[in-house]
Every structure is written in structure tokens, then in C-alpha cells.
Amino acid sequence: MAVEATTGSDLVITRRSFRSFMSEVFGPLLQVFLFVIGSAVVLGGIVLLLALALRGARTDIDLLQGTITILPQVIIDGLVRGFLYATIALGYTMVYGVLEFINFAHGEIFMVGAFVGAFFSAALASSGMLTTLSPILFVIAAVFLGMAVSGLLAMSIERVAYRPLRGAPRLVPLISAIGVSLVLQDVMRMIAVNTGLGFNAQFRTPDLGQPLVLAQMPIADDRTIPVSIDSRSLIFIVVAIIMLIGLNYLVNITKLGKAIRAVAQDRPAASLMGIDVNRVIAVTFLIGGALGGAAGILFGMRVGSINPYVGFLPGLKAFTAAVLGGIGNITGAMVGGIVLGFLEAFVASYLSLFTRGQFSGASYADIVAFSILILILIFRPSGLLGEVVTQKV
Amino acid sequence: MTADNRQVGQSASLWGQLRAMAGRGPAPYVLTLAYAAIVSALLLLNPTTGLGTDMVVVLFLLLMFVIYRAPTMLAFKLTLGTILLAVVMPVFGVLNPFYIDVVTKAGMFAALALGLNVVVGFAGLLDLGYVAFFAVGAYLWGIFSTPQISNIVPGMEPLHGSWFWLFLAIGLAVGAFFGVLLGLPVLRLRGDYLAIVTLGLGEVIRVLATNLDRPINITNGAQGIKDVGRPPLFIEPLFQSLGITISRLQEYQLYFYFLVLLVLALTVFVVHRLNDSRIGRAWTAIREDETAAIAMGIPLVRMKLLAFAVGASFAGTMGVIFSALQTFINPPTFDLLRSIGILSMVILGGMGSIPGTMLGAVIVTLLDLQLLPRIANELAALQRRGVPIPSWFDPAQYQRLLFGLLLVIMMIFRPEGLLPEDRRRQELHHDEPEPAPEAKTSPAVPESAQSVEG
């Protein structure tokens, strides 16, 4: 229910040992890292066992070898998807933490971020700077631009469409958020179509370099295939990790973070302690929106082409990730994103392989994601890391 | 503040005087009849397609609500309503086949919205995947009446159109079954979780419809099912004996018009009776306060499941009718936007209010199918004449914007809808009568205190 501090009970704000600082900023990341390893090992083990079990039934290809060959690539794919969902899920979970409200329009905030990047790159391309700009500078500039626009957008949406409804029955702001999400889709489409960017906007980048070859993987007949990671995916993961560290610092160390946690825990009490609740809520939307916008930029950079409806599915899945990790819990959102990303990557890659292409893995991965959402909500509504809370009367 | 109030009070009293004048003695009868006569005459004398006729059609449909609200005898209302819907509209439909199609769709969506109203309005469960049940009904008849069925049951021939009537009932049952099946796991969830999960389930049904062409071709995938069977025209001999010769297409239009009208009337009746029943009161109790409802001994999950099943069964039946009406169905017909469209009908009209929901359905359908494309055409015509209207502005393409703005604006300014149900209005405005000066200075405290209570 509340955004939980990872070590919640320290009362000393001014002096803090180096050790506690490290554990508060990097502790959650350590947990995320453990879940990355765990998901990869467990899911990899499951597909290997399945491959062994089904090996006899298949005569056309060696199933085990096929499974092992694509495994490293699937893990990298899962990592990228995982960080994508994790960064978006943070926006859901922070807003839920302070307001107990599902910001349905968050997927569209993400989409707007992606479009900001597309506009930025188109502007650079038209002025001829795109090829000359250094890739690192481009990524930094694009990410900051996307964060600024999306963050401010999220904050203004809160001001216009959610704040007047605070205190109304639960469904009222949710319906308003659905409306905002539809409006954003169409407004963005209107802008994109009429500025020459087009419905399917190209996201061009400077040359980001060759894929990074991590290892050579031996397969039969003394041939090897490279296990490589695309430079865009690498950028994605690196930037996402930096943002997660920054967020942990902000929420766990700074005074503002303390205010956010206080508002999440008990709004009236926080207000009585002199915290400007409205400001804290606005800042929460700003942070969540900025993270969503950055995720949008990185996503657009990675896939290369975006459209105004691109935010819906990632948004929905990121919400699933937030619930999976325990909604309201920041570390939980990261962990949930990672686990969901891995699951999806494995289903998307291995379902077609195991069923001889009878079931298209990419489509059924969506179904798997939603089934997980339903199962989690039924059997462990508090999520992987959440605390069990009873409903207040 | 006070000046405002005085002005409002004055205009209300003026309005009140007018209303009192129009509501006394024979005045309402005369006024309603005059309105009906004028609109009917306009419709029948000038049935050409155009913006003017659009407006008259809107006025005609609004007439239904005028009749509903008019302070007249029930018999008068029923007679006038029946004459207008069963005589004037079909004759107009024969003269101009375009509009009766729109009116049939409006009726169909009204019935769908009434079904969703049971779930959202009565029981307070926000269902964002409602169109899934509609899809189930549509695919049910679509599969059984086309050669698609021989892929699933080898050797089985497509069913003849006369099975359609039975499938209306089967659609009802299958819809209810799916409602229970999907509702069972999710109904224990709290309101906002339920919304997201139903949204996910709606997407799952759409993804399944798109992908179930392999390994067995059940739904024919993204291509959709075409040539869906239609019921036999039993009204044909009737028309011939009356000496009316109209094309087969128009006969079908009239046929579906009356079918939808009948189903809509039945739906209104059932929903109305349900709302006044013990079950309806249980739903209201659940909507207002779940915990209190449990304490009063209301079987929470069973009642929620019932609401879900009732709503889903209406959608199933309407799906069967929809597939026969369109003769073509494909997965994109059943996307999230359709669910949201139906939801915005319920919200525009007023959650929980039967006439409100129907009003909402009519307004949204007309806006969507009729007025937006028409305005787009008129704008394009103006543009050709040199009026400076930006070329990118095509209102017909901005459905999402329309639905979205509708939802946000309704939620901020009038969450109870256009024709609200009394209890709902009280529920949504219970905190407003007292002006509470402290709330002005530090809004955070009272607001948050409320949210903790709620």
C-alpha cells in the first residue's frame, strides 16, 4: 500500500553511514540482480528440461541443440524487456503508492516520450547534425528531453484531470484516466500525422556501433555462432540501471523522498507534519512521468519505428509487472518487470519452437502476461515483495 | 459567489415556471403531439441524406425521451411511442435505407449498454472487457452458420438460417457461461484491479480470435468470417400480400430493425425488473459499500457473478444479432475501443440509470456513425469552396479523442451522467452541500481524510 522504504526505520536524516547509504541506494538493485539471475536460471532450466523431454518426439531438428543455441539471446531479450517494464512500472507503482490510483494514462506518457525522441531525431536529421553528433551525446540529450516533456505532461495531467477528482469514489478518477489516455493517443496522432513525421514515425539515431560480441557459442561441426548484444539494447540496460540507482537515491536518501514516503504512508498525518501534499503528489507524477518518458525514448531508439498506439500494451504489461512485484513497492516494480520480461521472452521464443510453429509465440506471450496478472491477483494479491494489507473500512 | 447563486436561483425559477406551464392540463399532450407531428412530417417529406436530416433524426430520437419524461398518461406514451417507432421510422427507413441502419445500430448499442449498465451501473464493477462477450456471441453464430464449422466438427454442415432464433437463446446462455467463467477468478478483486483485469481478458479474447486459425482453423484468424448466415425472411409474404415491393436488402433492414427493437424492449423490461428486485437491491448495496453489504448477509461473490453473467448474456445475444446483421466479423471489430465506446455510453447517460444509458447509447452512436463523418464531409465541402479549414482536420478519424474527452469531462463536471439515477447523484455529491471554508485554505487535509474513510 505504501511506498516502502527498503530499510524503513532510520530516523537520522543528517548523518548516515557510508554503509547504510550504499545499502539503501544499491540494495534494491542487488535484489533486482538476484531476480535476474534467478529468473534466467529457473526459466532456462525449465526449457532445457522440456527440450530433453520432447526431444524424442521430434525428428526434424535436434530440439535440445536448438534450445541451447538461442538461449543466450533469449536471456538478453528478457533482460531488455524486463528493464522496459521495470522503468514503466515504476510510474504506476509510485502513483499508486501515494494516491492508491491506477494512472491508466501512463502507457501514453511513455508513448509521448518515444515521440519526443522521434521529433528530436527528425529535427537533428533535417539540420544535418544527426550523423555528426556523438552517439553518447545524442542518447543523453534525447533521454533528458523525453524525461522533461513526459514528466511535465504527467504533472499537468494530474493537475487538470485527476486533482479535481481526489476524494471521489475510486472508479471516477480511473475513468477519467482512461479518457486522458484516449485523448493523448489521438492528439499525438494528430500532431505526428500533420508535422510530416507520419503515423509510423521513424526514430533515427546516429550510428551506435556494431553489436557487442560477448562470446562464441560452439554448435555441431566445429562451427560457432556469436552471442552478441545489440548496442541499442546495451544502451537500454545501462540507462535503465542508472535511472534505477538515481530513483533509489531520490526516494531513500533525499528529504523529498522522505516526504513522498510519508505521504504514501499516511496522507493526513504527512499534511499535519507540514508536508505540502499536493506538491509531493505533483512531484511523484513528475518523477513517474520522467521515468516513463525515458523508457519511451529508449524503446523508440531500440525498435526504430513507433506509432501513437505503441504505449497501450507496454503500459498494460508494466501495470502487470507492478502488481506482480507488489504495487506501491518500488523495488517490487523493478523485480516484477524483470520477472515478467523474462517470462515473456521465453514464451515468445520457445512456444513456436516447441509446437513447430503451430502457436505463434509473440501473440501468446501477451496471453501469458495477462494470465500471470490474473493468477497473481487471485493467489497473492500483495505481489512478490508486497506486504499483506487488510482493506481499511 | 452570492450573486452567482441569485442568478442561478432566478433562472431556475423562470425555468420552473415554464415547466409548470408546460406540465399542466392538456398542454403536455398537445406539445408532445405537436413535436411528434412536426418531426415525423419533416422525416417523411424530406428523406434525403444530409446534415439537415441528421438533425431531424436526432430530434426524432430525442422525442422518445421527451415522451418518456412527459407528464402524461402511460397509455398515451405507449401509443405514441409505438406509432412512432413501429410506423413512422420503418416508413422513413424504406424511403431512406441509410438512416434505418444507423438507428438499428443505435438500438443494438443501447441494448449492449444496458447490459454493461447492469455490471457498471448497478453492481459498480468496472468492466473494460465487455466487448469480449459480444465477440463470443458473434463468433458463435459466425462459426456455426458458415463452413467454418466443418473445420471444427468434420462432416458437419453449416446450419440453416432458421437456427438463428435458437441461437439467440444459445448466445444468451453461452454469454452467461463465459461471464461466470471469466468472472469467477476476478470478482474477488477490488474495483480498480477488476477494471484492469477485465481489460486484459478482453484483449485475450481478441488475441485468441486473431490467432485461433492454427492448429485448427476455428476463427479464420485476422481475415475474419464472411457470409455469416441470416435468418429466413418470414415477413416477405406479408409484404407481398400488402402489395409492397421493396428490395431484399431493405426487407432485411426492416427485419433487423424490428428484431433489435423487440430485443431492446425485452432488455429494458428485464433490466428494469432486475433493478427493482431483491437482487437489484443487493447490487446497490454492494456498490455503495462492500463491507457493509457482507455484514448484511449479502453473498458478495455470488451477486457479483450474477451481475457479470447478466451483462455478459445480453452481450452474447447482441453478438449473435450483430454477426447476422453485418454478415462479416473480424477481430478488430471487438477491440478495446469498442468496450470503451460502450462504457462512455453508460457514463454519458448516467451509470445505473436505464433511460440515461439508452440516451447515452443513442448520442454516442449518432455522434460516432453519423455526425462526425457528416461534419467531416461538410467541412471538406466548405474547404473546397475556399474556407480556410486546415486539411488535416478530419473529425471522423478522431473517435478516440471524442470518447476520451467525453469520459474526462463527464467525470470532472457531471459524474452522475445526463439523466442520473437519484441514488447515484446523492452518492457522488454527498460531500458538496456544505461549503466548508477550511477546505478552501488547506484542501489536502479534508480530502485525504475522506479517502481514508472510503
Side-chain angles (χ1 to χ4, degrees), chain B residues 302-326:
Chain B
R302 205 195 305 161
M303 280 300 160
K304 283 184 173 184
L305 213 51
L306 193 64
F308 228 63
V310 168
S313 58
F314 288 146
T317 302
M318 292 322 284
V320 172
I321 297 177
F322 178 79
S323 66
L325 175 70
Q326 299 287 79

Side-chain angles (χ1 to χ4, degrees), chain A residues 96 185-186 189 194 327 357, chain B residues 190 193 214 392 397 400:
Chain A
Y96 195 91
Q185 286 177 359
D186 251 10
R189 185 163 64 95
N194 298 297
I327 195 156
Chain B
R190 225 190 27 225
Y193 278 156
R214 287 177 304 169
W392 47 265
Q397 292 195 352
R400 284 165 195 258

Side-chain angles (χ1 to χ4, degrees), chain B residues 154-211:
Chain B
M156 187 168 169
E157 292 292 309
L159 293 176
H160 183 252
S162 52
W163 283 81
F164 175 78
W165 295 97
L166 183 63
F167 266 76
L168 287 181
I170 297 180
L172 195 83
V174 171
F177 172 73
F178 269 82
V180 172
L181 194 73
L182 299 185
L184 259 183
V186 301
L187 281 175
R188 253 168 294 185
L189 306 174
R190 225 190 27 225
D192 40 4
Y193 278 156
L194 180 76
I196 302 284
V197 171
T198 49
L199 190 154
L201 284 176
E203 284 296 293
V204 166
I205 295 273
R206 196 178 57 79
V207 171
L208 280 180
T210 319
N211 285 290

Side-chain angles (χ1 to χ4, degrees), chain A residues 1 96 100 102 104 160-161 164-167 169-172 174-176 178-180 182-183 185-187 189-190 194 267-268 271 277-278 309 312-313 316 319 323 327 357-360 363-364 366-367 370 373-374 377-378 381 391-393, chain B residues 124 126 128 185-186 188-193 195-197 199-201 203-204 207-208 211-212 214-215 291 336-337 340 343 347 351 392 397-401 403-405 407-408 411-412 415 428 443-445 447-454:
Chain A
M1 187 147 294
Y96 195 91
E100 287 188 37
I102 299 170
F104 197 86
V160 175
L165 303 176
R166 218 177 284 160
R170 289 186 91 96
L171 292 187
V172 171
L174 181 65
I175 293 169
S176 175
I178 294 170
V180 169
L182 293 174
V183 169
Q185 286 177 359
D186 251 10
V187 167
R189 185 163 64 95
M190 201 191 279
N194 298 297
R267 212 185 312 159
S271 178
V277 174
N278 276 329
Y309 305 143
F312 173 66
L313 262 187
L316 205 53
F319 174 76
V323 173
I327 195 156
Q358 294 287 342
F359 293 99
S360 120
S363 309
Y364 284 92
D366 296 349
I367 294 185
F370 296 132
L373 175 64
I374 294 167
L377 284 175
I378 295 166
Q391 197 180 344
K392 282 182 253 182
V393 177
Chain B
L126 186 55
L128 296 179
V186 301
R188 253 168 294 185
L189 306 174
R190 225 190 27 225
D192 40 4
Y193 278 156
I196 302 284
V197 171
L199 190 154
L201 284 176
E203 284 296 293
V204 166
V207 171
L208 280 180
N211 285 290
L212 276 183
R214 287 177 304 169
T291 318
L336 174 69
L337 196 61
I340 305 264
L343 179 69
I347 284 166
M351 286 183 276
W392 47 265
Q397 292 195 352
Y398 291 97
Q399 278 181 343
R400 284 165 195 258
L401 194 66
F403 291 159
L405 282 177
L407 291 179
V408 176
M411 280 304 110
I412 293 178
L428 285 163
V445 178
E447 276 173 12
S448 47
Q450 255 165 20
S451 83
V452 169
E453 283 162 28

